[in-house]
């Protein structure tokens, strides 16, 4: 294997795979990426066995071949170089030359690298980059981090006839739901449900910056996204996702329209003196007035007031301030609509103005 590469091109490609490559693994090959050099194309492949990426790479090919290259060290070397790079495979050593700088890295046998999974028969849908990014960003914050119920560590993608596209994230304490109509999926028969991990979706977002459309292929066990010649493949999470539609309250009788940014700023101020573990704040709702307060016996207390449009009886309810802030930050318009019923019942949050899609969030209150 022998090729010449533009420093900037290889650095950009390597930066996107660093979190996919396993840093601590019982399989040393997962710390490496595979460079596959043919006469017609050069690809780099990386995987953690849940997610796999295959990226094309611009290069001048002098000799074909394959090599398993240590991902982190190779990336660190490339970042420090000033000029374009020449790479050669000499037995089991990767020789890297750039200007007057020379490096030699030990490589692994490319036959040890995991085989690219075959997706088989798949359902294809095409989405715009902006649409997919919006759907993910509106919901991923609400998914679990390391929940024992593994399905909660991912997002549910649900397609319903005739053309309804849903994405849902929940950690059991809050839930975020994105819903929109997509005409390109109207030919899909029946209902499709796919659960994808939070980690894989965060990695996918890095590859969406330079494209306009994404082709998504849904197989039996994997989903593959085609993005401008890049193949991004991830394994589905098996299991039953909670029935989110039964969780969303539709008939709360206490209704408030609030300025989103003012409420976020107030929550951030007051939560400075809240108890750290729960970020607890107390909210008192009355006609045209919202009082937000917090206290920690060992530190002190805080109180803030906001003018709001509130309809309902005077009402007191507690929240985890961070949950409320993160839900409000995804609101598209300047106004947020918040509906409540009882101090221990789910609170509903959505856009105060109509948008081209539905974003709604459910937050469970805290006991005061």
């Amino acid at each position: 294997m022998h090729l010449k590469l533009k420093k900037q091109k290889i650095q950009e490609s390597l930066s996107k795979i660093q979190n996919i490559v396993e840093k601590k693994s019982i399989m040393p090959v997962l710390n490496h990426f595979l460079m596959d050099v043919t006469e017609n194309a050069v690809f780099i492949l990386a995987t953690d066995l849940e997610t796999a990426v295959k990226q094309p790479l611009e290069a001048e090919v002098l000799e074909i071949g394959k090599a398993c290259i240590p991902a982190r060290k190779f990336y660190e070397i490339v970042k420090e170089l000033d000029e374009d790079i020449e790479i050669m495979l000499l037995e089991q050593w990767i020789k890297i030359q750039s200007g007057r700088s020379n490096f030699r890295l030990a490589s692994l046998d490319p036959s040890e690298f995991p085989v690219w999974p075959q997706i088989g028969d798949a359902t294809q849908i095409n989405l715009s980059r902006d649409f997919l990014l919006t759907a993910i960003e509106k919901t991923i914050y609400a998914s679990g981090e390391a929940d024992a119920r593994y399905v909660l560590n991912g997002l549910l993608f649900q397609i319903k006839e005739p053309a309804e596209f849903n994405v849902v994230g929940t950690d059991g304490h809050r839930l975020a739901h994105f819903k929109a109509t997509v005409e390109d999926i109207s030919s899909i028969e029946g209902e499709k449900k796919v659960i994808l991990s939070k980690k894989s979706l965060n990695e996918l977002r890095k590859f969406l910056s330079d494209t306009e459309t994404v082709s998504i292929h849904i197989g039996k066990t994997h989903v593959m996204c085609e993005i401008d010649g890049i193949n991004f493949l991830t394994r589905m999470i098996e299991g039953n996702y909670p029935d989110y539609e039964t969780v969303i309250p539709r008939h709360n009788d206490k209704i408030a329209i609030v300025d989103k940014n003012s409420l976020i700023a107030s929550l951030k101020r007051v939560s400075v003196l809240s108890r750290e573990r729960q970020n607890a704040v107390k909210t008192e709702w009355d006609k045209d007035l919202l009082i937000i307060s917090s206290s920690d016996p060992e530190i002190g207390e805080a109180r803030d007031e906001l003018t709001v449009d509130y309809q309902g009886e005077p009402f007191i309810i507690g929240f985890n301030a961070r949950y409320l802030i993160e839900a409000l930050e995804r609101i598209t318009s300047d106004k947020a609509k918040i509906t409540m019923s009882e101090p221990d019942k789910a609170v509903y949050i959505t856009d105060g103005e109509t948008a081209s899609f539905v974003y709604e969030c459910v937050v469970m209150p805290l006991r005061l």
Side-chain angles (χ1 to χ4, degrees):
M1 187 184 82
H2 187 186
L3 67 160
K4 293 181 179 180
L5 299 160
K6 295 290 184 183
K7 187 251 185 183
Q8 192 63 34
K9 293 290 185 181
I10 184 66
Q11 183 175 329
E12 289 174 2
S13 295
L14 290 172
S15 69
K16 292 177 180 178
I17 66 169
Q18 291 304 305
N19 289 334
I20 295 174
V21 174
E22 287 284 341
K23 298 170 184 63
K24 296 179 181 179
S25 174
I26 58 174
M27 294 177 61
V29 73
L30 297 183
N31 301 326
H32 295 58
F33 68 92
L34 177 67
M35 181 170 281
D36 187 357
V37 181
T38 68
E39 291 182 359
N40 301 318
V42 178
F43 292 96
I44 61 173
L45 294 86
T47 184
D48 60 5
L49 299 183
E50 177 189 282
T51 299
V53 176
K54 184 178 182 180
Q55 295 186 76
L57 191 62
E58 292 181 20
E60 179 187 345
V61 177
L62 303 175
E63 184 180 344
I64 66 171
K66 293 182 179 181
C68 266
I69 303 174
R72 174 63 62 179
K73 286 300 178 186
F74 187 74
Y75 179 52
E76 290 174 352
I77 291 169
V78 168
K79 283 198 300 182
E80 301 305 324
L81 297 176
D82 295 324
E83 301 180 32
D84 293 339
I85 303 163
E86 187 171 347
I87 301 172
M88 294 178 64
L89 176 62
L90 302 173
E91 296 180 346
Q92 292 302 309
W93 294 93
I94 296 292
K95 181 182 177 183
I96 306 161
Q97 183 175 346
S98 177
R100 298 170 71 177
S101 301
N102 289 274
F103 300 84
R104 199 170 67 142
L105 274 178
S107 68
L108 294 180
D109 186 340
S111 65
E112 295 181 24
F113 198 81
V115 176
W116 181 267
Q118 296 300 310
I119 196 168
D121 293 335
T123 300
Q124 180 178 337
I125 59 175
N126 298 314
L127 299 173
S128 74
R129 173 201 59 189
D130 291 344
F131 179 89
L132 183 57
L133 274 175
T134 299
I136 295 171
E137 289 170 356
K138 296 287 186 186
T139 52
I140 198 167
Y141 74 93
S143 61
E145 292 291 343
D147 201 290
R149 297 162 293 177
Y150 197 63
V151 293
L152 299 189
N153 299 324
L155 293 185
L156 171 69
F157 290 75
Q158 180 189 43
I159 299 171
K160 293 182 178 181
E161 292 183 294
E164 185 181 302
F165 187 88
N166 298 273
V167 182
V168 184
T170 182
D171 60 6
H173 303 288
R174 52 187 172 163
L175 180 147
H177 175 217
F178 170 94
K179 180 173 72 174
T181 298
V182 182
E183 295 301 331
D184 287 349
I185 64 174
S186 59
S187 60
I188 295 176
E189 297 180 358
E191 183 183 50
K192 288 276 184 186
K193 283 186 176 182
V194 172
I195 306 171
L196 301 180
S197 75
K198 186 173 189 174
K199 178 186 175 183
S200 66
L201 291 169
N202 275 324
E203 297 309 311
L204 175 62
R205 291 157 82 180
K206 298 175 183 177
F207 294 91
L208 294 176
S209 59
D210 301 323
T211 187
E212 292 185 2
T213 60
V214 183
S215 292
I216 302 175
H217 304 262
I218 304 171
K220 288 185 177 181
T221 59
H222 290 79
V223 171
M224 186 176 75
C225 299
E226 291 184 337
I227 312 158
D228 284 346
I230 298 169
N231 289 341
F232 183 98
L233 186 142
T234 185
R235 185 187 299 276
M236 300 177 193
I237 295 176
E238 296 181 2
N240 295 316
Y241 206 81
D243 184 357
Y244 67 91
E245 292 180 293
T246 63
V247 174
I248 300 174
R250 300 295 184 189
H251 305 291
N252 287 348
D253 59 340
K254 299 173 178 65
I255 302 171
I257 304 297
V258 302
D259 181 87
K260 175 189 70 175
N261 293 324
S262 297
L263 180 52
I264 289 172
S266 180
L267 287 166
K268 287 181 176 179
R269 286 193 292 268
V270 173
S271 64
V272 170
L273 294 185
S274 65
R275 296 179 183 179
E276 288 187 8
R277 190 173 69 84
Q278 290 188 320
N279 294 298
V281 296
K282 180 169 77 170
T283 64
E284 301 174 61
W285 303 82
D286 206 342
K287 185 179 181 181
D288 299 331
L289 182 66
L290 168 61
I291 300 172
I292 305 173
S293 59
S294 66
S295 65
D296 185 325
E298 297 180 359
I299 301 176
E301 57 188 31
R303 186 178 187 275
D304 204 4
E305 294 184 2
L306 287 178
T307 299
V308 296
D309 179 2
Y310 173 69
Q311 299 174 26
E313 297 295 322
F315 184 64
I316 297 175
I317 188 169
F319 289 103
N320 180 318
R322 180 171 65 86
Y323 288 176
L324 207 52
I325 290 167
E326 289 178 341
L328 291 165
E329 285 176 337
R330 272 70 183 183
I331 295 288
T332 303
S333 60
D334 293 331
K335 299 290 185 181
K337 180 180 180 181
I338 302 174
T339 73
M340 302 161 284
S341 60
E342 302 293 337
D344 60 346
K345 297 290 178 64
V347 172
Y348 177 82
I349 302 169
T350 190
D351 269 286
E353 300 168 7
T354 304
S356 60
F357 54 83
V358 173
Y359 162 73
E360 52 192 3
C361 181
V362 178
V363 177
M364 294 303 297
L366 287 178
R367 289 186 178 181
L368 295 172

